[in-house]
Each structure stands twice: as structure tokens, then as C-alpha cells.
Amino acid sequence: MLVALFGLAPVPASAQYPVKPIRWIVPLPPGGSNDIAARLIAEKLSRAFGQQVLVENRPGASGIIGTEIAARSAPDGYTVVSFSDTLTAAPHLYPKLSFDPVKDFIPVTQHLRQPVVLAAHPSLGVKSLAELIALAKAKPGIPYATSGAGSQQHIVAEWFASLAGIKLTHVPYKGGGQAISDFIAGQVPLASLGSAPLIPHYKAGKITLLAQSTRARAPTLPGVPTYEEAGIKGLVLEQWIGVFVPARTPNQIVARLNAEIVKALSDPKIRERFAEAALEPVGSTPEEFSKLVRANYESYGRLVHELKIKIN
């Protein structure tokens, strides 16, 4: 009788996961790198899980609004969020932030990376980082566009200017789309942005890419030197996007999500689509990604303080 009773014990919910649709929050507008990647992977996960994985764009305040929604969600695996390393800088920029990207989330996997690139419009008349530095020393205050104050692009550009001993003028936009439009039109002669949306213009010969922020050259940009190769020693920053779940989500669910996302990233069709968008797939373990998140949190805190990065 006791055996029969024990046999009726309920199976933990995490063992049955998932039994209903999963919401994947992208805290930015549609069309960007984060959104493109989420939709590609969500389609694959829907088939693997036998449940719909629905991408939900919740933009606002440079990704903070959608990320806050995810942080307040139940830790049951039915809400995931993908955000970039910009969010690890946010606590150092917004003192009243309602969430902590380290304490309030569990990293599942880093699913892609791309460099931050420094791009010059032909009207500026420079073809290399050395030429830009010489021009900026002769004419301080050259304007540069980014997707927003406090973004990786902003931090990289100010870091470069500090190490090079020059003065640049930041022109922040509310997202990369308008920044790119104005830059390509020549309204802002310099831009520090993610590589993916700029590559088509670079390949068409409309702009010059002066440097990229990764330690090694990205596979999609073999002809563009890194900042270190161009003489700016110590400037290394990898722009990543990763998947997270709210803190206290069961380990079994984190492991299942990680396994399926990493599997999706190994699919040749997914990798081909990423390559078309100039994105490099990764697929790290939760432990590896957690170390990266914590390291970025600390390094961004130092850079925000040293470079006096402000949100106006």
C-alpha cells in the first residue's frame, strides 16, 4: 500500500517543463541584433519543446523597461529575456535602478557576440585610426554617433579618446537605426556602433571601418584592425547578447534551456542566418556566461567612473 501511495507522488514541475508557451522578452524594438537572434532561436525551440516560444518586444529606456518586467516575472522558466552587456553597465549609470543584472537573473547562455566598430564617413577624410587621431588633435571635438548614452558604443568611444589623448563629442541617439541613417547621410561624420548593421554599407564602399573592439578580428571583418592592432593597447570590449531567466529559476530548467539553445546554435541554417547578419554564435555554459557577466559588471563600473560617463 505504501509503495502504491509513494508511486502517486507528484512529479516536480521542472521535470515536466515546458507544459505551456514560453515568453521570450526582447527589451528593444524589432529588427536589431537581439530581436533577429531571438526569433531565429525561438522558432527552433518551439519545435524542440513542442510548445510555442513567443518573442515579445518590450522596448523603452535603453532596454531597462523590458528587463524590469522580466526581473519581476515568476522564476518558473516561462519567461526568458535576452539582453546585452549594456545592462551590466546600467547599475553604474542609473543609481535608482529597480533590478540588479547580477543578482536578479540567472545567466543561461551567451548566444552571440559582435564587435563595436568605429566608422568614418568619407566626408571626414580619414582612412585609419592614426589619421583620425591626428585630425582630432588638430581639430578637437569631432562628433560621433551612438545608439545611446551609457551604451557599449559610448563607453568604447570615450575609452578610445581617453587612451589616444583626444577629444570627441558624443551625439547619442535613441537606438541604432536613426544613428546609422544620420551617419550614412553624413550628418555625423563618425560613429561607434555594433558591426552588424554597418557591414552592408562597409561592403558597398560607403563608409570606412577604422577599428573593432574585440581582442581578435571578427570573422565577418577580417580586413578591419582591432583597436589594439591599431595602437590603442588595452582597449578590448566584446559586445555580447545572452539569455537570462529570473533568479531562483530551478537548475533543471536552466540546464534544459541551455541545452536546447546551444543545440539550436549548432544548426547550420541558424549559423548561416547569423553570418548573414554579421553575428557570431557562441553557446556558452551557464557557468561560463556567469563569469563573463560578473567580469563585465566590474569592468563597466570601473570604466563608467574613470571616463565620467553620464546619462543626461
Side-chain angles (χ1 to χ4, degrees), residues 86-109:
T86 293
L87 269 298
T88 61
H92 308 293
L93 296 163
Y94 300 92
K96 296 182 179 180
L97 199 66
S98 67
F99 68 88
D100 186 313
V102 174
K103 296 179 181 178
D104 293 337
F105 291 97
I106 297 174
V108 176
T109 187

Side-chain angles (χ1 to χ4, degrees), residues 119-121 145 178-191 198 207:
H121 190 269
Q178 189 58 51
I180 292 167
S181 295
D182 282 5
F183 168 61
I184 297 300
Q187 295 183 35
V188 185
L190 202 61
L198 288 176
I207 61 173

Side-chain angles (χ1 to χ4, degrees), residues 12 20 40 62 68 70-71 74 82 90 102 132 144 156-157 163 165 171 177 185 201 210 221 228 284 288 295 306 312:
K20 62 180 182 179
L40 287 172
S62 299
E68 285 179 336
S82 51
V102 174
L132 172 64
Y144 71 92
V156 167
L163 292 174
V171 183
H201 304 287
L210 304 176
L221 293 172
E228 288 204 313
S284 60
E288 290 168 339
E306 291 179 356
N312 297 324

Side-chain angles (χ1 to χ4, degrees), residues 282-296:
V282 181
S284 60
T285 66
E287 294 75 20
E288 290 168 339
F289 190 29
S290 181
K291 288 180 182 178
L292 177 61
V293 170
R294 290 179 179 276
N296 273 193

